Amino acid sequence: MQGETFFVQVPDNEAGILGFLKGDMTQVETFVFTEAETRFLMALYDRFNERFGKDIDFYETEHLGQEVLADTLEMTLEFAAANQTSRFLPSIRKFQRAVELAIRNNVWLVFDF
């Protein structure tokens, strides 16, 4: 797993969700994270797992639906506030932008690991 990249993806719209499910990424915004960033963010993702009954990890694709994205954003903002001096604050902010985009697009947030 050394040096891998990990993706958080946000479809542009409903058609983008259907395309994503078929492997068409033309209507999907991709946020790329390094292995180090992802390992750091896993502390946040574990909170999502616990709260939303998900299994976000290094080995499979998982998604958060629109119904939990407001809570996801709130948890992300709290995580950012608690990590203001971390060298990974830009990574948290990048993830925050992905969540905000998913909310605006009214779509899933996909962890494509």
Side-chain angles (χ1 to χ4, degrees), residues 23-59:
D24 176 6
M25 303 303 284
T26 58
Q27 295 184 65
V28 176
E29 180 80 25
T30 300
F31 295 80
V32 180
F33 294 87
T34 66
E35 181 178 343
E37 289 175 309
T38 303
R39 286 190 181 284
F40 178 82
L41 289 169
M42 199 55 70
L44 176 60
Y45 301 162
D46 284 342
R47 294 177 189 182
F48 301 154
N49 289 339
E50 184 175 314
R51 184 147 181 198
F52 307 129
K54 297 295 182 172
D55 192 21
I56 302 165
D57 61 21
F58 286 104
Y59 306 107

Side-chain angles (χ1 to χ4, degrees), residues 6-112:
F6 299 86
F7 308 103
V8 173
Q9 297 171 313
V10 180
D12 294 338
N13 48 39
E14 287 290 323
I17 292 173
L18 296 174
F20 175 83
L21 294 172
K22 295 178 183 178
D24 176 6
M25 303 303 284
T26 58
Q27 295 184 65
V28 176
E29 180 80 25
T30 300
F31 295 80
V32 180
F33 294 87
T34 66
E35 181 178 343
E37 289 175 309
T38 303
R39 286 190 181 284
F40 178 82
L41 289 169
M42 199 55 70
L44 176 60
Y45 301 162
D46 284 342
R47 294 177 189 182
F48 301 154
N49 289 339
E50 184 175 314
R51 184 147 181 198
F52 307 129
K54 297 295 182 172
D55 192 21
I56 302 165
D57 61 21
F58 286 104
Y59 306 107
E60 57 197 312
T61 299
E62 184 64 83
H63 76 278
L64 297 177
Q66 184 66 29
E67 69 280 359
V68 301
L69 290 181
D71 287 342
T72 300
L73 180 57
E74 181 179 323
M75 293 168 73
T76 301
L77 293 171
E78 290 169 0
F79 191 73
N83 288 282
Q84 285 296 308
T85 60
S86 171
R87 70 181 181 102
F88 289 106
L89 183 59
S91 306
I92 301 168
R93 295 294 186 211
K94 180 175 22 172
F95 179 74
Q96 177 185 335
R97 287 191 306 276
V99 175
E100 291 168 341
L101 180 60
I103 290 170
R104 276 193 311 276
N105 291 356
N106 196 31
V107 296
W108 303 344
L109 179 77
V110 181
F111 298 86
D112 194 7

